[in-house]
Structure formats: C-alpha cells, structure tokens
C-alpha cells in the first residue's frame, strides 16, 4: 500500500501529455476537514469532465485509457499505475480517503459536473453516491467503461442516478472527446432527460427503429416514461417526415413485444390502428365517415364516399392492415362489409386528382397508404397518403343528392390549413373517438 512518504517523493504529474488545470490541491494530501476552495470556482460555471479513479492519459502495449483534459478523482496517495508516467503523481488529482469512503464534497460542488467517467474500477455504493452527487441534473451524463449491463456495480450506479433523473441509454454513441479508448470493449452511458429525449428523437428521425425500441424499452422499465411521452409529442408536432417515422416507430414497438409502451405513451388512435381494430374513418372538415358504394362498376369495384349520416353500419367499418417494407410501415385500408381494399384510380381527372375505389384485390402499390399523424392545437389527426401516387385523401366540396361526397386523392399540397385533408379514427360501434388530445 502506498504511503505518504512514498507519495511525497514521487515525481510531479506529467503536464506535457495532460492539460494542467492548475488545481491547487493536486499535490496536497487529503484535506477534507479544512475549509477548501471548491470547484467550479464560480457558481455560474460547470466542470466539463471528472474521471473517477482516473490517472490521466495512459498508453501501454495493452491499449489506451484515461483522458488528458479532466480532473481525476483517486486515492489520496495513489500514483499513476501504468505507462510511461508510472509512479508519478496523478495530474489534476482530487483525493478521496479510500475506495469505500468516496466523498469529494470538500473539493467539488454538488450538481456541478457535465461529464463523469469511470473505467474498470469498483463502483460501490459510496462511489456511486458521490458520482450522483457531482453530476449535473440538467446537462450531465455518466459514462462507465468495462462493465457489463446487469452487473452489481452498475446496479449501484443505476439506483444512485435515479435521484438525479439520469437513466441508462443502450448503444450510446460516444462523443468525440470520449472516443479512442482501446483498453475497454464496452461502455454504458447514463444521460439526463434532455439528452435522452434528443437521442430518442434522433434515432426515430434517422430510421434507427431497433435502437429506438431498445432505448424506449429500457426507459419504460426504469420508470422514465416522461421521456418517451415527451418525444412522441415532439414528433407529432414536427414536420411530415418526422410524423411518418413516428408511425413506423410505433409499429416496431407494437410488433417487438412492447405494446404497452404504445398503449401508455401514444395517443389512443395508435392502439386502434396497430391492433387492427374495426374503426370509423372521419373527415374532420366535413364530419363524414368513409364508406363504399352499394353499386359496383364493370370491374366490380366500388366508389368510396364520405357519408353524412351513417355511423354504425358495417359499411363504415374499416381496419388498417400494416405492411412493413424497406424500413417503413404503410397500411392497406380494409372494408369489412364488402371485403374490399381501398385504392386510388390509375387515371386522373382534368385537375390531376384520382378517384378512390374499393377492390377485391390488394396486391398493387396503389392499395397502400401512409398514415401521417399530426397534432394541431392539441388535437390529433392523420393525413392518409397513397404510397404509389403520393396523393393525400380528401372529400370533394360538392355533395350529391344524399349529401355524400366523393373520396379523392389530391393533386397538390395537403399540408395546408384545410381540415378536409385530415382524418380521425374512432372504434367502430364504440362511444367516442380515439383521438385524445395531448
């Protein structure tokens, strides 16, 4: 065991390899009982990086470990253990009495560190508690190297960090300043709520749905549902590309044994869609529901209409049949009464719009539709966009003698403030729409 005399005689830290932060107690024994100057010196500042049990940057034949530009918490008489700086004092060292008495409160202000790292060394409850004490709740993160998920050491850290609302983020991509360590093959990151929301949002936008599902599953198990709900709402309020990605994300959750995440964190309409429930499809502009004509044409197809009166017959009952292809979900709209699927006409009218029909077959791309959720003033609705022709569904302005309106694919921008392009879904035969406000 190292002693005070050995430590005093050791060479000073290597500040050619490491950045000298001019820390006044780096080469002073533990002085925790004194009234010391704490870092950060200003209450308005934060410390960028503290490496717990760190010894500075170390390069050996076994790889690289440690960082050159951070504070290093370590035993009061600990010296650098490997590499060219072996047996030198640790650069920018902040002392603790022992591995079971990890109290840096005399040196580091609470809630003051942006990034805390830890490599390989034991994470007992004392260490975990001090890490949680110093990391900042709002912008902080903790990254540990060389530990397997589910280990007792990580369990200590998970329990301690919950107090600060930092939760594990599976498969976290390390920022540049933490890359390059070759002595460890694995890392586990714990992020603040803002970073977790940003991470989940980015994974969905980038189409990394498997990773988004893994992160959501972990957050759900750890009790961080608020992160999922906030991200879903942000996606609902984003642009159309993000909205479409949200539908694919929900599909992957539903079909990845995470149905409860969809039920508990998404608007109720998602459960109706993905559960393939029988629903009515209501146009928000004209307050009419979709149906198919009682008559057929020469191809045995039926025109699609918006009905002004019917809400209960099987003619207005539909199911969404998902199709997963090329990392995105589209849907076939199936009418239960006639056993038909909605499609758009191959031909256009004089303004480029296409009539909508019900047909027995469903094997063409024009039978598939994107569902694009959108939240306007707190109310959820969907654009229904044909996969092949990229036309959104609408009801025409003109009524027939029954007050019904033809369903068409719109040749133009549907993302305008016209409610006739938006649709809501309610459980067929149920009481009330499944379009809860968020």
């Amino acid at each position: 065991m190292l002693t005070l005399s050995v430590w005093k005689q050791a060479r000073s830290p290597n500040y050619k390899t490491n950045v000298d932060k001019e820390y006044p107690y780096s080469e002073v024994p533990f002085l925790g009982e004194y009234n010391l100057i704490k870092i950060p010196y200003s209450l308005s500042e934060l410390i960028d990086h503290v490496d717990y049990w760190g010894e500075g940057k170390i390069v050996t034949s076994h790889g690289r470990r440690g960082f050159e530009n951070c504070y290093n918490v370590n035993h009061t008489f600990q010296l650098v253990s490997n590499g060219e700086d072996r047996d030198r004092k640790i650069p920018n060292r902040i002392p603790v009495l022992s591995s079971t008495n990890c109290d840096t409160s005399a040196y580091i202000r609470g809630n003051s560190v942006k990034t805390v790292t830890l490599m390989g060394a034991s994470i007992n409850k004392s260490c975990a508690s001090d890490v949680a004490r110093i990391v900042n709740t709002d912008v902080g993160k903790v990254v540990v190297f060389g530990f397997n998920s589910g280990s007792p050491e990580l369990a200590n850290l998970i329990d301690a960090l919950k107090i600060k609302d930092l939760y594990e983020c599976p498969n976290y991509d390390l920022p540049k300043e933490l890359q390059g360590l070759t002595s460890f093959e694995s890392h586990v990151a714990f992020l603040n709520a803002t970073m977790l929301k940003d991470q989940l949002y980015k994974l969905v936008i980038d189409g990394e749905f498997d990773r988004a599902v893994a992160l959501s599953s972990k957050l759900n198990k750890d009790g961080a549902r608020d992160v999922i709900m906030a991200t879903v709402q942000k996606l609902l309020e984003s642009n159309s590309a993000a909205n479409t990605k949200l539908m694919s994300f929900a599909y992957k959750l539903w079909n990845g044994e995470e149905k409860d995440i969809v039920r508990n964190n998404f608007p109720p309409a998602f459960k109706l869609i993905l559960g393939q429930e029988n629903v009515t499809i209501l146009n928000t502009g004209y307050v009419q529901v979709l149906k198919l004509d009682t008559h057929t044409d020469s191809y045995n197809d039926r025109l699609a209409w918006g009905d002004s009166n019917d809400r209960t017959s099987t003619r207005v009952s539909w199911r969404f049949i998902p199709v997963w292809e090329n990392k995105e979900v589209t849907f076939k709209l199936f009418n239960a009464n006639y056993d038909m699927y909605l499609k758009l006409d191959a031909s256009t009218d004089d303004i480029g719009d296409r009539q909508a029909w019900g047909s027995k077959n469903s094997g063409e791309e024009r039978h598939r539709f994107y569902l694009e959720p959108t939240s306007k003033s707190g109310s959820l609705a969907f654009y229904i966009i044909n996969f092949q022709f990229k036309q959104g569904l609408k009801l025409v302005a003109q009524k027939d003698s029954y007050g019904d309106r033809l369903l068409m694919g719109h040749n133009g921008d549907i993302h305008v403030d016209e409610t006739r392009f938006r649709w809501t879904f309610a459980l067929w035969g149920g009481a009330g729409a499944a379009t809860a406000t968020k």
Side-chain angles (χ1 to χ4, degrees):
M1 179 178 291
L2 294 175
T3 63
L4 174 61
S5 60
V6 172
W7 181 79
K8 280 186 173 181
Q9 294 174 20
R11 291 180 296 162
S12 292
N14 177 359
Y15 287 122
K16 292 182 179 179
T17 299
N18 299 279
V19 175
D20 185 358
K21 294 187 171 295
E22 300 180 354
Y23 183 58
Y25 309 117
S26 180
E27 298 188 57
V28 178
F30 183 81
L31 298 172
E33 66 272 23
Y34 295 94
N35 186 19
L36 306 177
I37 300 173
K38 298 181 182 182
I39 56 172
Y41 303 122
S42 170
L43 293 175
S44 62
E45 297 177 351
L46 293 175
I47 301 166
D48 286 328
H49 186 182
V50 169
D51 189 20
Y52 224 96
W53 308 128
E55 299 178 1
K57 181 178 178 180
I58 297 175
V59 180
T60 69
S61 59
H62 299 292
R64 180 201 144 183
R65 61 184 295 164
F67 303 95
E68 66 266 25
N69 189 17
C70 67
Y71 294 95
N72 297 290
V73 173
N74 221 310
H75 304 292
T76 185
F77 302 137
Q78 179 66 39
L79 301 175
V80 177
S81 57
N82 284 292
E84 294 182 354
D85 295 333
R86 182 170 182 163
D87 294 330
R88 294 182 72 159
K89 290 176 182 171
I90 294 171
N92 307 306
R93 189 271 277 135
I94 296 173
V96 291
L97 282 175
S98 69
S99 61
T100 57
N101 188 357
C102 306
D103 181 9
T104 60
S105 59
Y107 297 89
I108 307 175
R109 300 182 191 276
N111 206 43
S112 65
V113 182
K114 294 180 182 178
T115 300
V116 181
T117 52
L118 192 149
M119 294 176 223
S122 174
I123 309 175
N124 54 42
K125 290 185 177 181
S126 176
C127 173
S129 177
D130 199 50
V131 169
R133 184 190 68 81
I134 65 176
V135 69
N136 183 266
T137 301
D138 298 323
V139 300
K141 64 179 178 291
V142 176
V143 183
V144 297
F145 298 84
F147 292 90
N148 295 319
S149 185
S151 67
E153 289 91 347
L154 280 187
N156 290 333
L157 196 55
I158 289 170
D159 288 343
L161 291 176
K162 280 183 179 178
I163 300 173
K164 303 294 281 285
D165 287 331
L166 268 69
Y167 296 95
E168 183 179 345
C169 179
N171 305 310
Y172 175 65
D173 293 327
L174 292 174
K176 184 177 180 180
E177 64 270 17
L178 299 184
Q179 295 176 11
L181 303 183
T182 56
S183 296
F184 303 96
E185 295 181 352
S186 63
H187 66 271
V188 180
F190 300 85
L191 308 182
N192 62 74
T194 299
M195 291 182 71
L196 286 167
K197 293 171 192 174
D198 291 344
Q199 176 76 357
L200 183 56
Y201 182 87
K202 185 177 186 301
L203 289 174
V204 174
I205 291 297
D206 291 346
E208 297 280 351
F209 298 119
D210 290 338
R211 292 180 63 187
V213 168
L215 175 54
S216 300
S217 177
K218 192 70 177 69
L219 291 170
N220 189 54
K221 291 175 182 176
D222 290 345
R225 279 183 52 197
D226 288 351
V227 171
I228 303 172
M229 294 181 69
T231 305
V232 169
Q233 188 60 31
K234 181 179 178 181
L235 286 160
L236 284 171
E237 296 171 354
S238 298
N239 58 38
S240 59
N243 298 153
T244 304
K245 292 289 180 66
L246 176 60
M247 201 72 240
S248 293
F249 173 45
Y251 171 84
K252 291 293 283 185
L253 284 168
W254 190 270
N255 288 274
E257 305 304 321
E258 295 292 355
K259 291 181 174 65
D260 282 345
I261 293 180
V262 178
R263 293 188 182 106
N264 297 328
N265 301 283
F266 286 67
F270 284 78
K271 180 182 70 172
L272 298 180
I273 296 165
L274 297 170
Q276 299 185 41
E277 302 279 1
N278 291 317
V279 299
T280 54
I281 301 175
L282 176 76
N283 182 268
T284 62
Y286 295 116
V287 197
Q288 293 185 334
V289 296
L290 291 192
K291 68 177 180 181
L292 294 180
D293 205 309
T294 55
H295 302 96
T296 60
D297 68 358
S298 58
Y299 299 99
N300 289 320
D301 292 343
R302 299 175 188 271
L303 279 172
W305 297 83
D307 191 287
S308 57
N309 297 305
D310 190 359
R311 293 291 187 276
T312 58
S313 78
T314 54
R315 287 181 66 194
V316 298
S317 175
W318 298 82
R319 292 205 311 270
F320 294 99
I321 312 299
V323 178
W324 180 260
E325 185 177 274
N326 295 326
K327 296 185 178 181
E328 65 177 5
V329 69
T330 54
F331 295 87
K332 297 178 182 180
L333 278 62
F334 175 73
N335 183 268
N337 188 68
Y338 292 113
D339 192 25
M340 283 184 164
Y341 297 86
L342 195 70
K343 68 178 180 181
L344 288 187
D345 204 311
S347 302
T348 63
D349 64 12
D350 56 353
I351 60 173
D353 290 349
R354 300 173 188 271
Q355 285 188 320
W357 299 83
S359 67
K360 287 291 186 180
N361 66 308
S362 66
E364 299 177 70
E365 290 186 347
R366 59 185 174 140
H367 288 92
R368 292 162 55 189
F369 294 84
Y370 292 107
L371 297 183
E372 185 182 295
T374 181
S375 182
K376 301 289 185 181
S377 302
S379 296
L380 177 70
F382 290 79
Y383 297 107
I384 305 175
I385 303 168
N386 186 263
F387 175 76
Q388 180 173 348
F389 300 117
K390 304 301 184 288
Q391 291 189 344
L393 296 185
K394 68 177 180 181
L395 293 180
V396 300
Q398 298 78 21
K399 297 183 290 186
D400 69 2
S401 59
Y402 299 99
D404 296 342
R405 290 178 167 86
L406 277 172
L407 180 68
M408 304 285 289
H410 179 68
N411 179 32
D413 183 15
I414 61 170
H415 299 101
V416 294
D417 193 20
E418 282 196 55
T419 54
R420 67 180 179 136
F421 296 122
R422 296 198 288 269
W423 305 82
T424 60
F425 314 132
L427 185 65
W428 175 72
T435 55
T437 58
K438 296 290 287 181

